[in-house]
Amino acid sequence: MPIKIPDELPARLILEEEGINVMDETHAIRQDIRPMRVALLNLMPNKIQTETQLARLIGATPLQVDLTLVRITDHESRHTPPDHMASFYRPWEAVKNERFDGFIITGAPVERLAFEEVLYWDEMRRILDWTQTNVHRLLTICWAAQAAVYHFHGMPKYELPQKAFGIFRHWNRCPSSPHMRGFADDIAIPVSRWTEVRKEDIPPDSGISVLAESDETGVCLLDDPKKRAVHMFNHVEYDTDTLAREYERDKLAGGAIPKGYFPDDDPTRAPVNHWRGHGHLLFGNWINDMYQTTPYDTNLVGIESFKP
């Protein structure tokens, strides 16, 4: 089944050219099924790029998904055209009375700030609490994952001596998890962050388990069943050239070549994507788990009796 997104969203043409099934409203209502309602709170500066990356992974799953784009209520994006935001994004205050099968929160370029110094931290805390009553399954990425485990479990983040940047080898620590179904034991995943959370800070009574981690860059993916959440600290959604663009942006300021990304660490050579399949597996598994457990009646999403 396809993903349903607005007709004029820039991601639509890109996904159609890639062979992703994209559905319009007319065709959606002909199907006698309830689509999965998934919302994306996009905190990244280049919102068009990020929404395309995530819509690609959501749209490749076998279920019909109705995607809603969400923004922080009183925070204006400086890097995305205002007309794009006005046309396609809804402020969280406008959707907070609705219920969603899935809710995704992206990273944000604020990871070196203390959480309390982030301008929208108060609303972020309210959103995280709201996911426990109005959302069936939560997926957080990068800074949002750090924010979630800090807010829910008091786990701090630590600044790294240098940026963790490149493609790093990770280990599948829980092959029996439904979120890791189909994953190999050895996984290549893009990493791009200045901070980390640490396994030893996981509270013993939290129920959190490590699904994937790296010897070099630490925790990658956590299952947080008490909060009905999965926290991804790295970037399986990245395009092949995303790290190259980050490198070009930062190299004049002394940024390092991303480790293990360019062949022979030669930035004149085109990188090879080793993680595309992992992104599709993770999002497919997450949506499948959501579909298997969410109530048919969306009014019951978040109700205690339906929590696994």
Side-chain angles (χ1 to χ4, degrees), residues 53-92:
Q53 291 172 345
L54 294 173
R56 175 185 295 117
L57 297 174
I58 297 168
T61 57
L63 299 171
Q64 183 182 319
V65 177
D66 188 350
L67 182 64
T68 299
L69 299 176
V70 181
R71 63 174 174 85
I72 292 292
T73 302
D74 295 321
H75 184 73
E76 292 188 8
S77 175
R78 295 179 296 174
H79 302 278
T80 303
D83 59 341
H84 182 87
M85 299 301 298
S87 298
F88 302 116
Y89 280 78
R90 299 173 64 191
W92 174 71

Side-chain angles (χ1 to χ4, degrees), residues 151-200:
H151 176 70
F152 288 141
H153 304 289
M155 294 174 60
K157 61 182 173 73
Y158 301 88
E159 187 152 354
L160 298 169
Q162 60 185 21
K163 186 178 183 180
F165 188 43
I167 309 300
F168 291 87
R169 187 181 194 183
H170 290 73
W171 300 104
N172 180 350
R173 296 303 190 198
C174 194
S176 62
S177 167
H179 300 295
M180 301 303 289
R181 187 178 293 116
F183 276 86
D185 295 334
D186 186 350
I187 313 163
I189 296 179
V191 180
S192 179
R193 50 181 164 80
W194 286 96
T195 56
E196 67 177 1
V197 299
R198 295 175 181 170
K199 182 166 61 174
E200 54 265 31

Side-chain angles (χ1 to χ4, degrees), residues 183-246:
F183 276 86
D185 295 334
D186 186 350
I187 313 163
I189 296 179
V191 180
S192 179
R193 50 181 164 80
W194 286 96
T195 56
E196 67 177 1
V197 299
R198 295 175 181 170
K199 182 166 61 174
E200 54 265 31
D201 289 327
I202 297 174
D205 60 348
S206 66
I208 291 175
S209 59
V210 177
L211 300 182
E213 64 181 335
S214 165
D215 295 337
E216 295 178 85
T217 58
V219 172
C220 170
L221 186 65
L222 297 179
D223 185 19
D224 188 357
K226 290 184 178 180
K227 300 301 180 182
R228 305 187 314 283
V230 177
H231 309 297
M232 163 57 76
F233 299 93
N234 300 322
H235 292 283
V236 290
E237 81 281 5
Y238 270 7
D239 293 326
T240 302
D241 65 348
T242 301
L243 292 182
R245 284 186 271 109
E246 289 188 23

Side-chain angles (χ1 to χ4, degrees), residues 12 18-20 22 48 57 91-92 103 116 141 154 171 177 187 196 209 219 234 256 265 271 273:
R12 186 183 188 93
E18 293 177 358
I20 302 295
V22 183
I48 295 174
L57 297 174
W92 174 71
F103 198 78
E116 292 79 7
I141 301 171
W171 300 104
S177 167
I187 313 163
E196 67 177 1
S209 59
V219 172
N234 300 322
D265 291 330
N273 192 314

